[in-house]
Amino acid sequence: MCDHNALHALFGGTFDPIHYGHLRPVEAMAAMAGLQKVTLLPNNVPPHRPQPEATPAQRADMIGLAIADNPLFDLDLREMQRDTPSYTIDTLAAVRAERGARQPLAFIIGQDSLLNLHKWHRWQDILSLCHLLVCQRPGYSSAMETAELQSWLSSHQTDSPDELRHVPAGRVFMAPTPLVAISATEIRARRHRGESDADLLPPSVSAYIDREGLYRNPERHDILRR
Ligand code: ATP
């Protein structure tokens, strides 16, 4: 039987590669918001955007390794396996249809993504399908939000994890998750320079990057930065 008060969250990203800046704040968010499960949702990068250096299969492999011993997480490859990039709102609508109207559902983003939320397709409709849970990220703060975003947030914000479980969607929960100054860009740059990334991501993922020879081409880094 479906537990209508269990709170599940989705966490989307490129994960090129997955790192502790994804895992640690989301683990803390799970504890603070009372999440039973977090489903990682690697995306399909649109052709006009710089492509990930790792293939979709490699990005999925790295996520699998990173979450292997952690029952909080699972992996959903639906966006990655589509031929075309998908809008988050469409994925959320599909998940909502599968889980029914009453099941509480959340989508997790970092503070940097929140600042760009207004660029997402039908961004204001996202809360009709799920709650939005926002993790802190170093270098990004609420002070950087536009007045429009601040007013939208304040009309939906809650500080109550209980509320997230008792209504299926519609709330924004901003939690004081630990600040983890790690990005996938930094990991790729370190690898391009031949430096270690040991403190930035799980050892199993770092070993996979070694084995697969990923993120070795410094020219690739220059191309992406131009
Ligand atoms: P890149 O450096 O390649 O742009 P990234 O490290 O920002 O990648 P993404 O896969 O683009 O990682 O991010 C997916 C989600 O994770 C986004 O919502 C982003 O805000 C969040 N996120 C990534 N890194 C952090 C971090 N260090 N702290 C908090 N949130 C993060």
Side-chain angles (χ1 to χ4, degrees):
M1 209 174 75
C2 166
D3 175 1
H4 287 305
N5 289 126
L7 181 57
H8 292 187
L10 302 171
F11 180 46
T14 307
F15 303 113
D16 183 31
I18 189 165
H19 53 69
Y20 287 138
H22 299 123
L23 297 166
R24 300 290 183 245
V26 169
E27 284 166 349
M29 175 62 84
M32 291 176 198
L35 303 176
Q36 271 74 44
K37 185 63 82 184
V38 175
T39 299
L40 297 168
L41 192 69
N43 60 16
N44 180 335
V45 177
H48 61 272
R49 296 239 319 271
Q51 289 301 297
E53 286 194 52
T55 64
Q58 288 171 325
R59 288 189 287 137
D61 283 348
M62 290 189 280
I63 296 172
L65 289 167
I67 66 175
D69 297 324
N70 191 337
L72 173 66
F73 293 105
D74 63 11
L75 175 59
D76 185 328
L77 294 176
R78 76 179 72 205
E79 288 198 348
M80 193 176 251
Q81 285 170 344
R82 283 172 54 118
D83 289 342
T84 52
S86 21
Y87 291 118
T88 298
I89 188 113
D90 295 333
T91 304
L92 288 167
V95 174
R96 169 57 73 201
E98 287 163 17
R99 300 195 183 180
R102 290 175 55 201
Q103 173 75 52
L105 181 67
F107 192 78
I108 303 175
I109 58 174
Q111 175 76 38
D112 58 312
S113 299
L114 179 69
L115 295 176
N116 281 314
L117 193 68
H118 61 284
K119 296 183 189 155
W120 293 21
H121 183 54
R122 293 177 50 207
W123 68 275
Q124 287 170 322
D125 294 336
I126 283 176
L127 288 184
S128 67
L129 295 165
C130 67
H131 303 302
L132 208 53
L133 312 182
V134 184
C135 294
Q136 300 196 104
R137 186 166 188 179
Y140 304 90
S141 73
S142 297
M144 298 158 92
E145 291 157 8
T146 61
E148 182 195 19
L149 180 60
Q150 269 175 2
S151 129
W152 182 80
L153 289 172
S154 62
S155 60
H156 298 286
Q157 206 163 334
T158 181
D159 292 328
S160 161
D162 281 346
E163 207 177 323
L164 299 174
R165 273 191 299 282
H166 288 105
V167 289
R171 305 289 187 271
V172 177
F173 183 77
M174 305 182 71
T177 53
L179 290 168
V180 182
I182 299 176
S183 67
T185 303
E186 164 71 11
I187 291 168
R188 296 192 301 272
R190 279 207 201 180
R191 286 269 171 177
H192 293 144
R193 294 194 298 261
E195 295 170 11
S196 165
D197 57 15
D199 45 339
L200 309 184
L201 73 183
S204 56
V205 179
S206 195
Y208 179 92
I209 294 171
D210 288 341
R211 280 200 305 280
E212 295 285 307
L214 271 168
Y215 313 125
R216 278 207 184 140
N217 184 353
E219 278 172 27
R220 178 67 207 245
H221 184 52
D222 292 343
I223 289 164
L224 289 177
R225 287 176 52 172
R226 267 205 288 271

